[in-house]
Amino acid sequence: MSFYFACWGLTQRCAGHSSLIEDDKLFADFMGEIEHRKPASLMWLGLLDAYFRYDPETSPVGKANWQRLRVWLENDLDNLLRRTNPNLRDCLAWLKTLESERGLLNARDPVKPYAAEALQGKQERLDRIKTDLDISPTSWFWRELVLAQIREATALSDDHFKAALQPLVQLLKEHKLLWDNGLKHLLTRYYACQDHAAHESLKALALEAWQSPQISSHGKWGHIAPAVKEMVSQWLVLEDLQDFFELLAGDRAADQRRLNFWVRYIKQISFSHIALGSHLWFSRDRDWIEFKQKKKGRTSRLDGGGGSKNAFIMKIGSNYFVEFGETGDACYGYSENNIPFTLGRGYLEYPGDLKDKQQCVFWGKHQDGLVKWEKKFIDGSAKYYGLRDLGIDTPNETVVISKSIRTSKIPTSPATLDMERDIPSFTGQQQEFLRPAALDSIRTEDRRRSGGALWIFHLEENGAVADYLKSQGYRFSESKGWWKK
């Protein structure tokens, strides 16, 4: 009976001791006993379970013993079939399946025969194997099958590879231990496609596994060639450019002209960062929360400017450029060796961190005169360099942006203050003060459900906004703002 339990307990650890398969001497003695006893089907099945259950990458000793077990199983299968009563053999589904699927014990590639079928969605053989052999969901077999499908897919034509990519990415998400190896193959093959425009699912998984390729400290991007890493970086830059100029423009309308200008330099932009004003940074709107989560590591808070300012920072060549949501703010450019801001601290200050006409090497307003502002940005002025002066080539071609690649789920007209919801309606004398438009850009917080007050974070005690809030029954608290129960 103890030998039976040993067959079924090869991979089990007991009382702090290593498993039998990871003990060189004990396993050698055990295999000697196996070869002598020639186990019957039930004990043989226990050994087969250990073969599928044990992860050979756990330890060098375990891997060597696992290999020895595999060789023995492969060589003894025909002997087992001969020494098993034919009437019993017909009742053993696992043995019949293993007899027809001998490749499972093959040393070279036990999963290769099933990879192509799985890639095509043909699951009949795999379902039978999983059911009859009762292979654990955590078995190395399923992990290797995922990698085999990836290898199979990378040998396909561009169209067929792209057709298989979405289900493969989904499959890879379920096997975290394979992320490095799987992403290396998928990203490299995708880069080799004639058209390697952003693939959203592949991009999302790469960011989850390796974080942003724009941050040098994230060393896992070393798994792939620099050109492949640059492809993913450009995906992020294009996404950030679109999100900023289409969603965060100061007038709440897409700033297509600025987007079209900067996107022409997409292949030269190596870094992008969005600084959100405090209104959006602290927004409780689910879409804005998801927006920040999606861009984790590529956003920071922008303090100052009344909370409604937003900024976009990008690196082109050896220079950083800062654009703002409102076109009334000029674009500033700084040498990488002389920038007035620090991105790593999680917040920036407006205007001091971003608008410094003494340090900037580039400065340009988005205003047309005799010459369009785009040309002035390229050629420069008497006082400031243009992009061409800074060694930034102007591409000849115009980049066409496909609307289908936009994936950000953000309200096109985000409102930071809902007057109907957050400020009650009043009648009589209180309505003599007209509501200032500036209220739309001031952050609010409603704490009334928890016994608190409705806060409007306007820090000035005088002025049009203050007068209006006084008329509505709000009280002023220094350094905090206006509140009302």
Side-chain angles (χ1 to χ4, degrees):
M1 183 63 70
S2 61
F3 184 69
Y4 168 85
F5 286 124
C7 291
W8 278 94
L10 275 180
T11 64
Q12 300 300 312
R13 301 188 178 199
C14 182
H17 296 285
S18 61
S19 60
L20 181 55
I21 200 172
E22 292 178 343
D23 189 309
D24 240 353
K25 184 180 184 309
L26 290 178
F27 186 78
D29 293 341
F30 174 79
M31 288 305 297
E33 189 70 15
I34 285 288
E35 292 166 358
H36 171 71
R37 291 203 183 198
K38 297 179 175 52
S41 57
L42 198 53
M43 287 184 282
W44 211 97
L45 180 59
L47 299 174
L48 182 66
D49 179 76
Y51 166 68
F52 283 117
R53 188 175 299 277
Y54 183 73
D55 185 346
E57 302 305 319
T58 303
S59 77
V61 171
K63 184 173 185 177
N65 291 334
W66 176 83
Q67 289 283 16
R68 181 176 177 181
L69 175 63
R70 184 207 60 74
V71 170
W72 184 86
L73 290 170
E74 184 180 28
N75 293 336
D76 193 61
L77 178 58
D78 284 330
N79 296 328
L80 175 65
L81 291 168
R82 282 193 294 268
R83 63 178 179 259
T84 302
N85 186 305
N87 294 328
L88 177 61
R89 193 169 64 191
D90 289 340
C91 299
L92 299 176
W94 70 266
L95 188 53
K96 293 175 65 176
T97 296
L98 188 61
E99 182 181 12
S100 63
E101 303 291 347
R102 292 169 178 265
L104 292 168
L105 300 174
N106 186 279
R108 288 187 176 180
D109 198 344
V111 298
K112 183 175 176 57
Y114 313 101
E117 292 183 8
L119 195 61
Q120 297 169 22
K122 299 177 181 178
Q123 294 290 328
E124 293 83 357
R125 288 175 72 192
L126 282 170
D127 288 343
R128 186 176 74 253
I129 288 170
K130 183 177 182 180
T131 301
D132 293 347
L133 300 184
D134 194 24
I135 301 177
S136 168
T138 59
S139 171
W140 57 265
F141 177 81
W142 306 115
R143 183 183 70 215
E144 291 301 316
L145 182 61
V146 174
L147 288 178
Q149 290 179 72
I150 290 174
R151 290 192 294 268
E152 195 81 22
T154 57
L156 301 174
S157 66
D158 286 3
D159 289 343
H160 288 94
F161 168 71
K162 287 186 174 183
L165 189 53
Q166 182 62 37
L168 282 177
V169 170
Q170 187 60 42
L171 193 59
L172 192 57
K173 286 182 67 175
E174 301 168 7
H175 294 80
K176 194 169 184 177
L177 293 176
L178 303 181
W179 282 3
D180 290 350
N181 200 357
L183 281 170
K184 176 183 71 174
H185 288 294
L186 291 180
L187 286 169
T188 301
R189 176 62 183 88
Y190 193 78
Y191 175 77
C193 292
Q194 186 173 1
D195 175 14
H196 47 242
H199 188 283
E200 293 304 320
S201 297
L202 184 58
K203 177 178 67 177
L205 182 58
L207 289 177
E208 184 178 356
W210 295 347
Q211 301 183 56
S212 174
Q214 299 176 356
I215 302 176
S216 58
S217 61
H218 295 162
K220 288 194 172 183
W221 288 97
H223 287 299
I224 57 178
V228 183
K229 175 183 174 182
E230 183 181 337
M231 172 188 72
V232 181
S233 182
Q234 288 177 6
W235 291 351
L236 300 182
V237 169
L238 182 56
E239 174 194 303
D240 289 346
L241 278 169
Q242 284 190 281
D243 284 345
F244 187 79
F245 289 114
E246 293 185 358
L247 301 175
L248 298 171
D251 59 359
R252 295 180 182 173
D255 194 337
Q256 200 67 37
R257 187 170 170 184
R258 279 197 292 170
L259 173 60
N260 289 340
F261 177 78
W262 288 115
V263 83
R264 295 175 64 195
Y265 296 90
I266 188 70
K267 294 182 179 180
Q268 300 176 64
I269 303 175
S270 59
F271 174 87
S272 59
H273 188 90
I274 293 177
L276 291 173
S278 57
H279 295 327
L280 294 183
W281 183 264
F282 292 110
S283 173
R284 292 167 295 168
D285 186 289
R286 181 186 303 173
D287 289 339
W288 287 109
I289 293 173
E290 291 178 359
F291 180 89
K292 288 193 299 179
Q293 182 60 35
K294 179 181 179 182
K295 297 182 182 297
K296 188 176 181 179
R298 307 191 332 263
T299 58
S300 59
R301 187 181 77 243
L302 183 59
D303 293 337
S308 61
K309 297 285 186 178
N310 302 297
F312 183 76
I313 301 171
M314 56 190 152
K315 185 179 183 184
I316 309 179
S318 59
N319 297 277
Y320 285 87
F321 295 86
V322 182
E323 280 275 24
F324 297 91
E326 298 170 351
T327 54
D329 284 305
C331 176
Y332 288 72
Y334 305 93
S335 167
E336 64 179 345
N337 299 318
N338 192 31
I339 56 176
F341 49 84
T342 302
L343 292 174
R345 64 185 181 181
Y347 69 92
L348 297 166
E349 293 281 353
Y350 177 94
D353 282 348
L354 303 178
K355 301 177 70 171
D356 191 327
K357 295 186 74 172
Q358 300 302 314
Q359 285 185 238
C360 69
V361 294
F362 172 97
W363 185 88
K365 301 208 72 172
H366 312 87
Q367 294 177 350
D368 296 331
L370 295 176
V371 178
K372 290 185 176 181
W373 65 259
E374 290 94 336
K375 181 170 176 53
K376 289 187 286 186
F377 272 36
I378 294 171
D379 295 338
S381 64
K383 187 174 181 181
Y384 294 102
Y385 292 123
L387 297 179
R388 186 180 290 118
D389 300 318
L390 296 173
I392 299 171
D393 296 329
T394 304
N396 293 323
E397 74 278 7
T398 299
V399 178
V400 178
I401 306 173
S402 171
K403 291 293 182 182
S404 63
I405 69 171
R406 158 149 309 290
T407 60
S408 297
K409 182 190 173 189
I410 302 297
T412 53
S413 298
T416 57
L417 184 65
D418 187 329
M419 295 302 296
E420 293 183 2
R421 180 195 68 202
D422 292 335
I423 296 185
S425 297
F426 291 90
T427 59
Q429 185 71 22
Q430 291 174 322
Q431 288 196 339
E432 291 180 4
F433 289 89
L434 296 176
R435 179 183 66 83
L439 269 173
D440 289 337
S441 61
I442 298 175
R443 184 168 68 92
T444 68
E445 188 171 335
D446 193 347
R447 302 173 183 170
R448 290 174 294 185
R449 290 184 180 178
S450 58
L454 171 62
W455 281 89
I456 299 179
F457 296 102
H458 178 68
L459 302 182
E460 298 178 11
E461 193 172 3
N462 298 301
V465 172
D467 290 342
Y468 177 78
L469 293 175
K470 288 176 189 175
S471 76
Q472 304 299 312
Y474 283 78
R475 299 180 182 179
F476 182 72
S477 177
E478 190 174 354
S479 78
K480 289 186 178 181
W482 295 81
W483 64 275
K484 179 181 174 62
K485 286 285 189 178

